PDB file of all heavy atoms in Angstrom:
ATOM      1  N   GLU A 214     119.060  96.322 101.417  1.00 90.00           N
ATOM      2  CA  GLU A 214     119.273  95.192 102.239  1.00 90.00           C
ATOM      3  C   GLU A 214     119.847  94.066 101.475  1.00 90.00           C
ATOM      4  O   GLU A 214     120.723  93.396 101.834  1.00 90.00           O
ATOM      5  CB  GLU A 214     117.876  94.758 102.793  1.00 90.00           C
ATOM      6  CG  GLU A 214     118.005  93.502 103.662  1.00 90.00           C
ATOM      7  CD  GLU A 214     118.732  93.638 104.962  1.00 90.00           C
ATOM      8  OE1 GLU A 214     118.883  94.860 105.384  1.00 90.00           O
ATOM      9  OE2 GLU A 214     119.018  92.564 105.617  1.00 90.00           O
ATOM     10  N   PHE A 215     119.408  93.858 100.154  1.00 91.00           N
ATOM     11  CA  PHE A 215     119.665  92.671  99.473  1.00 91.00           C
ATOM     12  C   PHE A 215     120.708  92.979  98.439  1.00 91.00           C
ATOM     13  O   PHE A 215     121.427  91.930  97.828  1.00 91.00           O
ATOM     14  CB  PHE A 215     118.519  91.830  98.899  1.00 91.00           C
ATOM     15  CG  PHE A 215     117.625  91.379 100.031  1.00 91.00           C
ATOM     16  CD1 PHE A 215     116.427  92.041 100.266  1.00 91.00           C
ATOM     17  CD2 PHE A 215     117.979  90.254 100.719  1.00 91.00           C
ATOM     18  CE1 PHE A 215     115.601  91.477 101.201  1.00 91.00           C
ATOM     19  CE2 PHE A 215     117.226  89.674 101.667  1.00 91.00           C
ATOM     20  CZ  PHE A 215     115.922  90.302 102.002  1.00 91.00           C
ATOM     21  N   GLN A 238     124.812  98.032 113.962  1.00 78.00           N
ATOM     22  CA  GLN A 238     124.615  97.421 115.290  1.00 78.00           C
ATOM     23  C   GLN A 238     124.465  95.900 115.048  1.00 78.00           C
ATOM     24  O   GLN A 238     123.717  95.370 114.209  1.00 78.00           O
ATOM     25  CB  GLN A 238     123.391  97.942 115.892  1.00 78.00           C
ATOM     26  CG  GLN A 238     123.360  99.565 116.206  1.00 78.00           C
ATOM     27  CD  GLN A 238     122.253 100.007 116.851  1.00 78.00           C
ATOM     28  OE1 GLN A 238     121.260  99.233 117.249  1.00 78.00           O
ATOM     29  NE2 GLN A 238     122.100 101.248 117.115  1.00 78.00           N
ATOM     30  N   GLU A 239     125.216  95.199 115.927  1.00 72.00           N
ATOM     31  CA  GLU A 239     125.120  93.645 115.909  1.00 72.00           C
ATOM     32  C   GLU A 239     125.505  93.125 114.593  1.00 72.00           C
ATOM     33  O   GLU A 239     124.838  92.107 114.188  1.00 72.00           O
ATOM     34  CB  GLU A 239     123.757  93.202 116.463  1.00 72.00           C
ATOM     35  CG  GLU A 239     123.379  93.720 117.921  1.00 72.00           C
ATOM     36  CD  GLU A 239     122.013  93.410 118.226  1.00 72.00           C
ATOM     37  OE1 GLU A 239     121.220  92.841 117.494  1.00 72.00           O
ATOM     38  OE2 GLU A 239     121.651  93.740 119.300  1.00 72.00           O
ATOM     39  N   GLY A 240     126.440  93.777 113.911  1.00 74.00           N
ATOM     40  CA  GLY A 240     126.924  93.181 112.575  1.00 74.00           C
ATOM     41  C   GLY A 240     125.907  93.449 111.489  1.00 74.00           C
ATOM     42  O   GLY A 240     126.137  92.952 110.398  1.00 74.00           O
ATOM     43  N   HIS A 241     125.061  94.339 111.643  1.00 80.00           N
ATOM     44  CA  HIS A 241     123.984  94.645 110.562  1.00 80.00           C
ATOM     45  C   HIS A 241     123.838  96.131 110.421  1.00 80.00           C
ATOM     46  O   HIS A 241     123.658  96.742 111.493  1.00 80.00           O
ATOM     47  CB  HIS A 241     122.730  93.937 111.007  1.00 80.00           C
ATOM     48  CG  HIS A 241     121.651  94.198 109.883  1.00 80.00           C
ATOM     49  ND1 HIS A 241     120.692  95.180 110.033  1.00 80.00           N
ATOM     50  CD2 HIS A 241     121.339  93.516 108.760  1.00 80.00           C
ATOM     51  CE1 HIS A 241     119.881  95.222 109.026  1.00 80.00           C
ATOM     52  NE2 HIS A 241     120.278  94.217 108.204  1.00 80.00           N
ATOM     53  N   MET A 242     123.880  96.659 109.227  1.00 88.00           N
ATOM     54  CA  MET A 242     123.717  98.094 108.919  1.00 88.00           C
ATOM     55  C   MET A 242     122.175  98.314 108.859  1.00 88.00           C
ATOM     56  O   MET A 242     121.501  97.739 107.929  1.00 88.00           O
ATOM     57  CB  MET A 242     124.265  98.514 107.673  1.00 88.00           C
ATOM     58  CG  MET A 242     124.318 100.004 107.435  1.00 88.00           C
ATOM     59  SD  MET A 242     125.251 101.021 108.715  1.00 88.00           S
ATOM     60  CE  MET A 242     126.862 100.633 108.043  1.00 88.00           C
ATOM     61  N   LYS A 244     118.780  99.925 107.923  1.00 90.00           N
ATOM     62  CA  LYS A 244     118.403 100.575 106.630  1.00 90.00           C
ATOM     63  C   LYS A 244     117.537 101.708 106.892  1.00 90.00           C
ATOM     64  O   LYS A 244     116.628 101.767 107.708  1.00 90.00           O
ATOM     65  CB  LYS A 244     117.675  99.562 105.643  1.00 90.00           C
ATOM     66  CG  LYS A 244     118.506  98.316 105.414  1.00 90.00           C
ATOM     67  CD  LYS A 244     119.910  98.646 104.895  1.00 90.00           C
ATOM     68  CE  LYS A 244     120.787  97.469 104.635  1.00 90.00           C
ATOM     69  NZ  LYS A 244     121.196  96.580 105.738  1.00 90.00           N
ATOM     70  N   LEU A 289     105.664  96.151 105.805  1.00 90.00           N
ATOM     71  CA  LEU A 289     106.056  95.642 107.170  1.00 90.00           C
ATOM     72  C   LEU A 289     107.310  94.653 107.052  1.00 90.00           C
ATOM     73  O   LEU A 289     108.021  94.679 107.909  1.00 90.00           O
ATOM     74  CB  LEU A 289     104.840  94.808 107.600  1.00 90.00           C
ATOM     75  CG  LEU A 289     103.613  95.581 107.862  1.00 90.00           C
ATOM     76  CD1 LEU A 289     102.432  94.738 108.561  1.00 90.00           C
ATOM     77  CD2 LEU A 289     103.714  96.939 108.517  1.00 90.00           C
ATOM     78  N   PHE A 290     107.385  94.104 105.934  1.00 90.00           N
ATOM     79  CA  PHE A 290     108.601  93.208 105.723  1.00 90.00           C
ATOM     80  C   PHE A 290     109.919  94.086 105.612  1.00 90.00           C
ATOM     81  O   PHE A 290     110.906  93.897 106.350  1.00 90.00           O
ATOM     82  CB  PHE A 290     108.487  92.396 104.510  1.00 90.00           C
ATOM     83  CG  PHE A 290     109.686  91.640 104.065  1.00 90.00           C
ATOM     84  CD1 PHE A 290     110.206  90.627 104.970  1.00 90.00           C
ATOM     85  CD2 PHE A 290     110.403  91.909 102.919  1.00 90.00           C
ATOM     86  CE1 PHE A 290     111.352  89.962 104.608  1.00 90.00           C
ATOM     87  CE2 PHE A 290     111.496  91.168 102.624  1.00 90.00           C
ATOM     88  CZ  PHE A 290     112.015  90.180 103.417  1.00 90.00           C
ATOM     89  N   THR A 291     109.852  95.130 104.909  1.00 92.00           N
ATOM     90  CA  THR A 291     110.972  96.005 104.700  1.00 92.00           C
ATOM     91  C   THR A 291     111.167  96.918 106.000  1.00 92.00           C
ATOM     92  O   THR A 291     112.316  97.256 106.171  1.00 92.00           O
ATOM     93  CB  THR A 291     110.798  97.014 103.498  1.00 92.00           C
ATOM     94  OG1 THR A 291     109.532  97.702 103.618  1.00 92.00           O
ATOM     95  CG2 THR A 291     110.773  96.209 102.210  1.00 92.00           C
ATOM     96  N   MET A 292     110.148  97.042 106.734  1.00 90.00           N
ATOM     97  CA  MET A 292     110.332  97.816 108.082  1.00 90.00           C
ATOM     98  C   MET A 292     111.254  97.143 108.995  1.00 90.00           C
ATOM     99  O   MET A 292     112.024  97.805 109.767  1.00 90.00           O
ATOM    100  CB  MET A 292     109.059  98.090 108.686  1.00 90.00           C
ATOM    101  CG  MET A 292     108.923  98.749 109.959  1.00 90.00           C
ATOM    102  SD  MET A 292     107.368  98.705 110.844  1.00 90.00           S
ATOM    103  CE  MET A 292     107.169  97.076 111.319  1.00 90.00           C
ATOM    104  N   LEU A 293     111.343  95.744 108.912  1.00 88.00           N
ATOM    105  CA  LEU A 293     112.186  95.022 109.761  1.00 88.00           C
ATOM    106  C   LEU A 293     113.696  95.407 109.511  1.00 88.00           C
ATOM    107  O   LEU A 293     114.585  95.297 110.354  1.00 88.00           O
ATOM    108  CB  LEU A 293     111.914  93.535 109.476  1.00 88.00           C
ATOM    109  CG  LEU A 293     110.609  92.936 109.819  1.00 88.00           C
ATOM    110  CD1 LEU A 293     110.520  91.500 109.546  1.00 88.00           C
ATOM    111  CD2 LEU A 293     110.301  93.166 111.402  1.00 88.00           C
ATOM    112  N   PHE A 294     113.963  95.789 108.271  1.00 89.00           N
ATOM    113  CA  PHE A 294     115.375  96.012 107.966  1.00 89.00           C
ATOM    114  C   PHE A 294     115.942  97.361 108.688  1.00 89.00           C
ATOM    115  O   PHE A 294     117.058  97.650 108.769  1.00 89.00           O
ATOM    116  CB  PHE A 294     115.582  96.341 106.444  1.00 89.00           C
ATOM    117  CG  PHE A 294     115.068  95.237 105.513  1.00 89.00           C
ATOM    118  CD1 PHE A 294     114.510  95.405 104.307  1.00 89.00           C
ATOM    119  CD2 PHE A 294     115.095  93.956 106.027  1.00 89.00           C
ATOM    120  CE1 PHE A 294     114.096  94.388 103.504  1.00 89.00           C
ATOM    121  CE2 PHE A 294     114.673  92.863 105.209  1.00 89.00           C
ATOM    122  CZ  PHE A 294     114.041  93.082 104.013  1.00 89.00           C
ATOM    123  N   SER A 295     114.902  98.129 109.262  1.00 86.00           N
ATOM    124  CA  SER A 295     115.235  99.397 109.847  1.00 86.00           C
ATOM    125  C   SER A 295     115.982  99.122 111.343  1.00 86.00           C
ATOM    126  O   SER A 295     116.659  99.946 111.736  1.00 86.00           O
ATOM    127  CB  SER A 295     114.158 100.315 110.051  1.00 86.00           C
ATOM    128  OG  SER A 295     113.248  99.783 111.017  1.00 86.00           O
ATOM    129  N   GLY A 296     115.602  97.947 111.829  1.00 81.00           N
ATOM    130  CA  GLY A 296     116.028  97.614 113.150  1.00 81.00           C
ATOM    131  C   GLY A 296     115.536  98.579 114.212  1.00 81.00           C
ATOM    132  O   GLY A 296     116.115  98.687 115.370  1.00 81.00           O
ATOM    133  N   ARG A 298     113.118  99.060 116.986  1.00 79.00           N
ATOM    134  CA  ARG A 298     112.244  98.177 117.768  1.00 79.00           C
ATOM    135  C   ARG A 298     110.858  98.909 118.136  1.00 79.00           C
ATOM    136  O   ARG A 298     109.890  98.264 118.266  1.00 79.00           O
ATOM    137  CB  ARG A 298     112.966  97.798 119.038  1.00 79.00           C
ATOM    138  CG  ARG A 298     114.185  96.889 118.991  1.00 79.00           C
ATOM    139  CD  ARG A 298     114.703  96.530 120.339  1.00 79.00           C
ATOM    140  NE  ARG A 298     115.949  95.603 120.154  1.00 79.00           N
ATOM    141  CZ  ARG A 298     117.190  95.969 120.082  1.00 79.00           C
ATOM    142  NH1 ARG A 298     117.483  97.320 120.099  1.00 79.00           N
ATOM    143  NH2 ARG A 298     118.126  95.138 120.016  1.00 79.00           N
ATOM    144  N   PHE A 301     107.958  98.153 115.719  1.00 82.00           N
ATOM    145  CA  PHE A 301     107.453  96.731 115.581  1.00 82.00           C
ATOM    146  C   PHE A 301     106.083  96.537 116.215  1.00 82.00           C
ATOM    147  O   PHE A 301     105.272  95.822 115.548  1.00 82.00           O
ATOM    148  CB  PHE A 301     108.456  95.769 115.961  1.00 82.00           C
ATOM    149  CG  PHE A 301     109.759  95.830 115.220  1.00 82.00           C
ATOM    150  CD1 PHE A 301     110.996  95.338 115.818  1.00 82.00           C
ATOM    151  CD2 PHE A 301     109.746  96.354 113.980  1.00 82.00           C
ATOM    152  CE1 PHE A 301     112.158  95.369 114.987  1.00 82.00           C
ATOM    153  CE2 PHE A 301     111.041  96.380 113.218  1.00 82.00           C
ATOM    154  CZ  PHE A 301     112.222  96.056 113.756  1.00 82.00           C
ATOM    155  N   LEU A 334     105.717  84.610 115.459  1.00 67.00           N
ATOM    156  CA  LEU A 334     106.867  85.386 114.969  1.00 67.00           C
ATOM    157  C   LEU A 334     107.576  85.847 116.307  1.00 67.00           C
ATOM    158  O   LEU A 334     108.935  85.860 116.323  1.00 67.00           O
ATOM    159  CB  LEU A 334     106.455  86.501 114.180  1.00 67.00           C
ATOM    160  CG  LEU A 334     107.615  87.386 113.422  1.00 67.00           C
ATOM    161  CD1 LEU A 334     108.409  86.364 112.521  1.00 67.00           C
ATOM    162  CD2 LEU A 334     107.082  88.581 112.756  1.00 67.00           C
ATOM    163  N   ILE A 335     106.922  86.054 117.347  1.00 64.00           N
ATOM    164  CA  ILE A 335     107.592  86.691 118.501  1.00 64.00           C
ATOM    165  C   ILE A 335     108.263  85.502 119.241  1.00 64.00           C
ATOM    166  O   ILE A 335     109.339  85.709 119.821  1.00 64.00           O
ATOM    167  CB  ILE A 335     106.495  87.340 119.532  1.00 64.00           C
ATOM    168  CG1 ILE A 335     105.913  88.589 118.930  1.00 64.00           C
ATOM    169  CG2 ILE A 335     107.083  87.593 120.892  1.00 64.00           C
ATOM    170  CD1 ILE A 335     104.738  89.205 119.552  1.00 64.00           C
ATOM    171  N   PHE A 336     107.693  84.408 119.316  1.00 63.00           N
ATOM    172  CA  PHE A 336     108.214  83.301 120.078  1.00 63.00           C
ATOM    173  C   PHE A 336     108.937  82.147 119.245  1.00 63.00           C
ATOM    174  O   PHE A 336     109.474  81.179 119.771  1.00 63.00           O
ATOM    175  CB  PHE A 336     107.176  82.481 120.955  1.00 63.00           C
ATOM    176  CG  PHE A 336     106.572  83.418 121.957  1.00 63.00           C
ATOM    177  CD1 PHE A 336     105.411  84.080 121.754  1.00 63.00           C
ATOM    178  CD2 PHE A 336     107.250  83.617 123.165  1.00 63.00           C
ATOM    179  CE1 PHE A 336     104.774  84.969 122.658  1.00 63.00           C
ATOM    180  CE2 PHE A 336     106.668  84.395 124.064  1.00 63.00           C
ATOM    181  CZ  PHE A 336     105.516  85.017 123.932  1.00 63.00           C
ATOM    182  N   LEU A 337     109.088  82.432 117.978  1.00 64.00           N
ATOM    183  CA  LEU A 337     109.760  81.468 117.090  1.00 64.00           C
ATOM    184  C   LEU A 337     111.319  81.514 117.364  1.00 64.00           C
ATOM    185  O   LEU A 337     111.977  82.523 117.288  1.00 64.00           O
ATOM    186  CB  LEU A 337     109.550  82.013 115.671  1.00 64.00           C
ATOM    187  CG  LEU A 337     110.173  81.084 114.489  1.00 64.00           C
ATOM    188  CD1 LEU A 337     109.607  79.736 114.538  1.00 64.00           C
ATOM    189  CD2 LEU A 337     110.138  81.778 113.171  1.00 64.00           C
ATOM    190  N   PRO A 338     111.880  80.320 117.660  1.00 68.00           N
ATOM    191  CA  PRO A 338     113.296  80.241 117.830  1.00 68.00           C
ATOM    192  C   PRO A 338     114.004  80.489 116.457  1.00 68.00           C
ATOM    193  O   PRO A 338     113.643  80.023 115.501  1.00 68.00           O
ATOM    194  CB  PRO A 338     113.546  78.743 118.177  1.00 68.00           C
ATOM    195  CG  PRO A 338     112.205  78.250 118.711  1.00 68.00           C
ATOM    196  CD  PRO A 338     111.173  79.065 117.891  1.00 68.00           C
ATOM    197  N   THR A 339     115.036  81.429 116.555  1.00 64.00           N
ATOM    198  CA  THR A 339     115.677  81.813 115.361  1.00 64.00           C
ATOM    199  C   THR A 339     117.114  82.313 115.643  1.00 64.00           C
ATOM    200  O   THR A 339     117.405  82.745 116.830  1.00 64.00           O
ATOM    201  CB  THR A 339     114.881  82.953 114.671  1.00 64.00           C
ATOM    202  OG1 THR A 339     115.526  83.280 113.420  1.00 64.00           O
ATOM    203  CG2 THR A 339     114.701  84.190 115.452  1.00 64.00           C
ATOM    204  N   SER A 340     117.863  82.360 114.618  1.00 62.00           N
ATOM    205  CA  SER A 340     119.335  82.887 114.721  1.00 62.00           C
ATOM    206  C   SER A 340     119.432  84.066 113.756  1.00 62.00           C
ATOM    207  O   SER A 340     120.431  84.676 113.772  1.00 62.00           O
ATOM    208  CB  SER A 340     120.282  81.792 114.340  1.00 62.00           C
ATOM    209  OG  SER A 340     120.073  81.374 112.941  1.00 62.00           O
ATOM    210  N   ASN A 341     118.324  84.488 113.115  1.00 61.00           N
ATOM    211  CA  ASN A 341     118.193  85.602 112.230  1.00 61.00           C
ATOM    212  C   ASN A 341     118.317  86.880 113.068  1.00 61.00           C
ATOM    213  O   ASN A 341     117.343  87.165 113.891  1.00 61.00           O
ATOM    214  CB  ASN A 341     117.057  85.539 111.401  1.00 61.00           C
ATOM    215  CG  ASN A 341     116.935  86.604 110.310  1.00 61.00           C
ATOM    216  OD1 ASN A 341     116.727  87.754 110.671  1.00 61.00           O
ATOM    217  ND2 ASN A 341     117.286  86.328 109.129  1.00 61.00           N
ATOM    218  N   GLY A 342     119.241  87.708 112.821  1.00 60.00           N
ATOM    219  CA  GLY A 342     119.342  88.968 113.672  1.00 60.00           C
ATOM    220  C   GLY A 342     118.251  89.923 113.593  1.00 60.00           C
ATOM    221  O   GLY A 342     117.816  90.501 114.494  1.00 60.00           O
ATOM    222  N   THR A 343     117.648  90.009 112.312  1.00 61.00           N
ATOM    223  CA  THR A 343     116.515  90.918 112.113  1.00 61.00           C
ATOM    224  C   THR A 343     115.300  90.519 112.944  1.00 61.00           C
ATOM    225  O   THR A 343     114.515  91.203 113.536  1.00 61.00           O
ATOM    226  CB  THR A 343     116.180  91.009 110.610  1.00 61.00           C
ATOM    227  OG1 THR A 343     117.269  91.489 109.917  1.00 61.00           O
ATOM    228  CG2 THR A 343     115.016  91.978 110.419  1.00 61.00           C
ATOM    229  N   ILE A 344     114.987  89.178 112.893  1.00 63.00           N
ATOM    230  CA  ILE A 344     113.917  88.599 113.606  1.00 63.00           C
ATOM    231  C   ILE A 344     114.025  88.669 115.144  1.00 63.00           C
ATOM    232  O   ILE A 344     113.185  88.920 115.874  1.00 63.00           O
ATOM    233  CB  ILE A 344     113.537  87.198 113.114  1.00 63.00           C
ATOM    234  CG1 ILE A 344     113.175  87.122 111.596  1.00 63.00           C
ATOM    235  CG2 ILE A 344     112.365  86.575 113.954  1.00 63.00           C
ATOM    236  CD1 ILE A 344     112.952  85.797 111.070  1.00 63.00           C
ATOM    237  N   MET A 345     115.309  88.440 115.557  1.00 63.00           N
ATOM    238  CA  MET A 345     115.584  88.538 116.965  1.00 63.00           C
ATOM    239  C   MET A 345     115.422  89.899 117.446  1.00 63.00           C
ATOM    240  O   MET A 345     114.975  90.197 118.461  1.00 63.00           O
ATOM    241  CB  MET A 345     117.030  88.098 117.227  1.00 63.00           C
ATOM    242  CG  MET A 345     117.303  86.579 116.991  1.00 63.00           C
ATOM    243  SD  MET A 345     119.089  86.167 117.100  1.00 63.00           S
ATOM    244  CE  MET A 345     119.400  86.585 118.851  1.00 63.00           C
ATOM    245  N   ARG A 346     115.779  90.953 116.614  1.00 64.00           N
ATOM    246  CA  ARG A 346     115.485  92.319 117.007  1.00 64.00           C
ATOM    247  C   ARG A 346     114.151  92.590 117.078  1.00 64.00           C
ATOM    248  O   ARG A 346     113.744  93.449 117.911  1.00 64.00           O
ATOM    249  CB  ARG A 346     116.205  93.207 115.953  1.00 64.00           C
ATOM    250  CG  ARG A 346     116.336  94.723 116.512  1.00 64.00           C
ATOM    251  CD  ARG A 346     117.153  95.517 115.434  1.00 64.00           C
ATOM    252  NE  ARG A 346     117.367  96.872 115.942  1.00 64.00           N
ATOM    253  CZ  ARG A 346     118.177  97.272 116.767  1.00 64.00           C
ATOM    254  NH1 ARG A 346     119.139  96.413 117.248  1.00 64.00           N
ATOM    255  NH2 ARG A 346     118.363  98.529 117.234  1.00 64.00           N
ATOM    256  N   PHE A 347     113.345  92.018 116.223  1.00 62.00           N
ATOM    257  CA  PHE A 347     111.847  92.210 116.301  1.00 62.00           C
ATOM    258  C   PHE A 347     111.312  91.616 117.538  1.00 62.00           C
ATOM    259  O   PHE A 347     110.427  92.170 118.188  1.00 62.00           O
ATOM    260  CB  PHE A 347     111.153  91.530 114.968  1.00 62.00           C
ATOM    261  CG  PHE A 347     109.696  91.442 115.032  1.00 62.00           C
ATOM    262  CD1 PHE A 347     108.972  92.535 114.583  1.00 62.00           C
ATOM    263  CD2 PHE A 347     109.067  90.357 115.558  1.00 62.00           C
ATOM    264  CE1 PHE A 347     107.579  92.545 114.555  1.00 62.00           C
ATOM    265  CE2 PHE A 347     107.688  90.332 115.535  1.00 62.00           C
ATOM    266  CZ  PHE A 347     106.950  91.463 115.072  1.00 62.00           C
ATOM    267  N   GLN A 348     111.742  90.447 117.917  1.00 59.00           N
ATOM    268  CA  GLN A 348     111.301  89.856 119.096  1.00 59.00           C
ATOM    269  C   GLN A 348     111.552  90.590 120.383  1.00 59.00           C
ATOM    270  O   GLN A 348     110.736  90.677 121.282  1.00 59.00           O
ATOM    271  CB  GLN A 348     111.890  88.417 119.172  1.00 59.00           C
ATOM    272  CG  GLN A 348     111.323  87.467 118.133  1.00 59.00           C
ATOM    273  CD  GLN A 348     112.078  86.110 118.096  1.00 59.00           C
ATOM    274  OE1 GLN A 348     113.224  86.034 118.683  1.00 59.00           O
ATOM    275  NE2 GLN A 348     111.494  85.082 117.551  1.00 59.00           N
ATOM    276  N   THR A 349     112.638  91.203 120.377  1.00 63.00           N
ATOM    277  CA  THR A 349     113.062  92.028 121.622  1.00 63.00           C
ATOM    278  C   THR A 349     112.178  93.208 121.889  1.00 63.00           C
ATOM    279  O   THR A 349     112.091  93.794 122.913  1.00 63.00           O
ATOM    280  CB  THR A 349     114.546  92.369 121.607  1.00 63.00           C
ATOM    281  OG1 THR A 349     114.783  93.308 120.405  1.00 63.00           O
ATOM    282  CG2 THR A 349     115.491  91.280 121.540  1.00 63.00           C
ATOM    283  N   ALA A 350     111.505  93.710 120.691  1.00 60.00           N
ATOM    284  CA  ALA A 350     110.585  94.753 120.889  1.00 60.00           C
ATOM    285  C   ALA A 350     109.413  94.429 121.775  1.00 60.00           C
ATOM    286  O   ALA A 350     108.828  95.348 122.387  1.00 60.00           O
ATOM    287  CB  ALA A 350     110.120  95.188 119.427  1.00 60.00           C
ATOM    288  N   ARG A 352     109.813  92.262 124.253  1.00 62.00           N
ATOM    289  CA  ARG A 352     110.308  91.941 125.568  1.00 62.00           C
ATOM    290  C   ARG A 352     111.227  93.131 126.005  1.00 62.00           C
ATOM    291  O   ARG A 352     112.594  92.968 125.966  1.00 62.00           O
ATOM    292  CB  ARG A 352     111.108  90.711 125.461  1.00 62.00           C
ATOM    293  CG  ARG A 352     110.294  89.445 124.869  1.00 62.00           C
ATOM    294  CD  ARG A 352     111.090  88.328 124.603  1.00 62.00           C
ATOM    295  NE  ARG A 352     110.444  87.263 123.850  1.00 62.00           N
ATOM    296  CZ  ARG A 352     110.991  86.145 123.167  1.00 62.00           C
ATOM    297  NH1 ARG A 352     112.405  86.129 123.235  1.00 62.00           N
ATOM    298  NH2 ARG A 352     110.268  85.259 122.729  1.00 62.00           N
TER     299      ARG A 352
END
Side-chain angles (χ1 to χ4, degrees):
E214 178 71 14
F215 294 105
Q238 296 182 4
E239 300 173 359
H241 179 262
M242 186 67 75
K244 304 307 183 291
L289 302 184
F290 173 63
T291 55
M292 179 183 72
L293 296 176
F294 307 150
S295 70
R298 293 183 179 92
F301 299 155
L334 194 60
I335 291 169
F336 293 100
L337 179 71
T339 180
S340 58
N341 184 284
T343 301
I344 297 178
M345 290 174 65
R346 194 174 182 86
F347 173 83
Q348 292 173 340
T349 59
R352 305 167 188 168

